[in-house]
Amino acid sequence: MARIQYAERAMPLMSGLRRRFVSERPFDGLSIAACLHVTAETAVLVRSLRAGGARVSLAASNPLSTQDDIAQALQSDGIDVHARAGVDRKTYYQHIAAALNDGADLIVDDGGDLVSTVHTTGKPGVRGGCESTTTGVIRLRRMAADGALAFPMIAANDTPAKRMLDNVCGTGQSVIDGILRATNTLLAGKTVVIAGFGACGAGIAARAAGLGSRVIVTEVDPVRALDASLRGFPVLPMAEAAPVGEVFISATGSVDVIGAEHVAVMRDGAILANAGHFDAEIDVRALETAAVAVHSDARPHVDAYELADGRRLLLLAEGRVVNLVAAEGHPPEVMDLAFGILALSLAWLATNAGKLCADVHPVPPELDAEAAGLTLAAMGVRIDTLTEAQREYLDSWRIGS
Ligand SMILES: NC(=O)c1ccc[n+]([C@@H]2O[C@H](COP(=O)([O-])OP(=O)(O)OC[C@H]3O[C@@H](n4cnc5c(N)ncnc54)[C@H](O)[C@@H]3O)[C@@H](O)[C@H]2O)c1
């Protein structure tokens, strides 16, 4: 399919890994169940895993983010796909369970719904897996702390290279892309309130500021709030930001960050978008309760909640990840590195899972460095190498000034 090939041409790391997998066959005889946003870039990952010998089944990691044409293309390629855009919650979980039906040796998750389904439905045989987003890693750590995690999981989200390119650059750009595609609004001169100044929030803030927005940050973590302040962004409690913001973007991984008390004081025409993994950050029920009518006919992915006093608040993508619902998710260059780290970690797990305990493990640092190095090479960027004297100096505690 042309769109998958288009993405693949911008994914040199995955193309190289696919060639390597064809000769090394790291997944021979293994089944991999994946729960990921079904996009052209995911198709490139799935094909690479299959080229390495895996039998792959795929479910969506969000009920609204599936690109149906990509799902169909993968299906006609013989991949076991269980995903359709716009399914209800029950069907969403049925799809995830179906991806596990024939058993899985390894899993790939994005948000933790596949892992929790494995554990709640008691599917045996999983040897380990990888998690690709912050919210999923947080859920895994809670499972491990409860003693509930039954196999090792690698926190592919947490490598420095992945967070830099994916959470900061990818989310930063594609969330703005989603908001613009949905609304066609002008961001220059607008007050944009960003809830959460983690990797994603910092990326979105930088790009909104670059487009001429006045960016305000809300935070609960003093270090992150200090970081935002030192970069020149005013930091306010949401209660004070709510009446002045014109665009609100949540990127916290938390719940009810924008609630009824904020809806009550927001300006007419305020735009509400979520970048966090789950649709829990904007309290949509509070909007529904406050509204006398909802108008959805003006533009796709824009629901105008009309309040009793005549104000209209515009909720994008039903409060779900706006970059994946109203746009196409991250650019392929971003997913190249993120999926490259995932694919390398899976290949490593295929031989090493048995040596790991049932816990959350970091990506082996050499794999992160390898993925970053291959990405740099594809970008044509060269770097220096430590000299022997420099290595000796850095390795020694005896040498001072
Ligand atoms: N849309 C995407 O494509 C995409 C990509 C990567 C990650 N994510 C998701 O985005 C979310 C954020 O990811 P991240 O990597 O930036 O996480 P992070 O942990 O680096 O940052 C989250 C920040 O939100 C802050 N926060 C928490 N509760 C808050 C509240 N009530 N008000 C204000 N701030 C609050 C935290 O202090 C933290 O600084 C996660 O759900 C993650 O899974 C989405």
Side-chain angles (χ1 to χ4, degrees), residues 133-135 163 167 171 198-200 219 221 224 253 275 277 323 330:
T133 197
T134 313
T135 285
R163 280 179 72 74
N167 300 38
T171 312
C200 294
E219 252 299 343
D221 178 325
R224 297 280 175 82
H277 186 78
N323 55 331
H330 295 339

Side-chain angles (χ1 to χ4, degrees), residues 37 110-111 132-136 138 157 162-163 166-168 170-171 174-175 194-202 218-222 224-225 238 250-257 274-278 281 321-324 329-330:
H37 298 294
D110 183 349
S132 50
T133 197
T134 313
T135 285
I138 291 169
N157 172 74
K162 189 272 181 187
R163 280 179 72 74
D166 180 314
N167 300 38
V168 178
T171 312
S174 62
V175 162
I194 296 173
F197 200 74
C200 294
T218 74
E219 252 299 343
V220 292
D221 178 325
R224 297 280 175 82
M238 183 57 88
S250 55
T252 69
S254 188
V255 65
D256 296 345
V257 176
N274 169 48
H277 186 78
F278 287 120
E281 305 208 10
V321 265
V322 70
N323 55 331
L324 281 139
H330 295 339

Side-chain angles (χ1 to χ4, degrees), residues 98-339:
L100 290 163
N101 256 352
D102 295 331
D105 300 290
L106 298 174
I107 61 170
V108 186
D109 209 353
D110 183 349
D113 284 342
L114 180 60
V115 167
S116 74
T117 304
V118 170
H119 285 76
T120 49
T121 57
K123 297 276 179 190
V126 177
R127 290 158 50 180
C130 293
E131 168 57 58
S132 50
T133 197
T134 313
T135 285
V137 173
I138 291 169
R139 289 178 80 186
L140 283 176
R141 293 218 163 93
R142 280 193 220 120
M143 285 180 82
D146 280 356
L149 188 62
F151 44 77
M153 286 293 292
I154 292 192
N157 172 74
D158 287 1
T159 82
K162 189 272 181 187
R163 280 179 72 74
M164 209 184 311
L165 195 57
D166 180 314
N167 300 38
V168 178
C169 298
T171 312
Q173 176 172 307
S174 62
V175 162
I176 298 293
D177 183 23
I179 292 171
L180 295 183
R181 288 197 206 191
T183 61
N184 197 25
T185 197
L186 178 72
L187 285 179
K190 288 228 165 66
T191 300
V192 174
V193 177
I194 296 173
F197 200 74
C200 294
I204 300 163
R207 276 132 196 98
L211 285 167
S213 302
R214 280 184 300 273
V215 174
I216 293 173
V217 168
T218 74
E219 252 299 343
V220 292
D221 178 325
V223 176
R224 297 280 175 82
L226 178 63
D227 185 15
S229 294
L230 294 177
R231 295 193 210 196
F233 298 120
V235 178
L236 291 177
M238 183 57 88
E240 290 173 36
V244 293
E246 292 168 286
V247 180
F248 293 82
I249 308 170
S250 55
T252 69
S254 188
V255 65
D256 296 345
V257 176
I258 295 174
E261 67 277 31
H262 309 122
V263 165
V265 296
M266 279 179 181
R267 291 162 66 152
D268 181 31
I271 293 168
L272 279 60
N274 169 48
H277 186 78
F278 287 120
D279 58 343
E281 305 208 10
I282 300 170
D283 184 354
V284 178
R285 210 162 279 166
L287 268 176
E288 284 165 0
T289 308
V292 291
V294 183
H295 309 274
S296 305
D297 51 350
R299 295 180 66 88
H301 309 304
V302 180
D303 292 322
Y305 284 78
E306 184 182 339
L307 309 183
D309 58 9
R311 284 177 299 138
R312 285 185 183 208
L313 303 183
L314 310 182
L315 177 67
L316 307 191
E318 300 175 21
R320 295 190 185 272
V321 265
V322 70
N323 55 331
L324 281 139
V325 178
E328 293 171 63
H330 295 339
E333 294 89 337
V334 172
M335 297 321 296
D336 194 30
L337 180 100
F339 283 161

